Amino acid sequence: MTEHTTGFPSEPGSQWYDQEAGPLVRPYAVTGGRTRPAVTGVHFDLIALVTLDPAAPGIDDPALGPEHRTLIELCRPETQSVAELAADADLPVGVVRVLLGDLVERGCVTVSRPVPPAHLPDERILREVIAGLRAL
């Protein structure tokens, strides 16, 4: 690594914008130029829940990049939403969606959608059921 007159380290092929930022990697480089997940039939909206599959292959798979491994590690302790994963991994949501598509294809994670509010029982009905159970 060499030092420029600005005091920021540089390596061939990397560009430093400030001390804290580190080298800039464009999102298309992380996804290999892809803008959409390769997997079909799975919708990666912001509230979709991502769970690590217990039978998932290990993260030492050489086909997995560092960003894939980061997402797996974030899902290890508990289920996370796509929005939470993007924030915690410090990656754009579009990039996270593409990477999650890769992980779904490899069987590392599963994606589910929370129950929409329209399909939840009405609060009034639940209160009546509770009142009926208390009356027993």
Side-chain angles (χ1 to χ4, degrees):
M1 210 181 306
T2 61
E3 294 281 324
H4 286 292
T5 57
T6 60
F8 298 124
S10 68
E11 294 178 3
S14 70
Q15 189 172 8
W16 289 70
Y17 288 92
D18 65 32
Q19 191 73 19
E20 291 81 30
L24 177 67
V25 177
R26 301 278 183 206
Y28 63 81
V30 174
T31 63
R34 298 171 294 149
T35 58
R36 298 193 189 280
V39 66
T40 57
V42 179
H43 190 67
F44 298 103
D45 61 358
L46 293 176
I47 60 170
L49 300 174
V50 182
T51 305
L52 185 64
D53 190 329
I59 64 168
D60 52 344
D61 182 353
L64 295 177
E67 292 82 9
H68 291 105
R69 290 185 183 95
T70 298
L71 295 176
I72 289 172
E73 287 302 318
L74 289 170
C75 290
R76 192 169 302 284
E78 64 184 351
T79 298
Q80 301 279 328
S81 71
V82 172
E84 289 171 320
L85 289 172
D88 292 344
D90 197 27
L91 291 169
V93 173
V95 170
V96 170
R97 287 177 174 148
V98 172
L99 297 174
L100 287 174
D102 296 344
L103 293 175
V104 167
E105 276 189 328
R106 293 188 187 288
C108 296
V109 298
T110 57
V111 179
S112 60
R113 296 191 36 114
V115 177
H119 293 130
L120 292 174
D122 184 21
E123 183 179 341
R124 181 183 51 79
I125 293 171
L126 292 176
R127 290 188 187 278
E128 288 177 15
V129 169
I130 290 172
L133 289 172
R134 285 186 181 148
L136 292 176

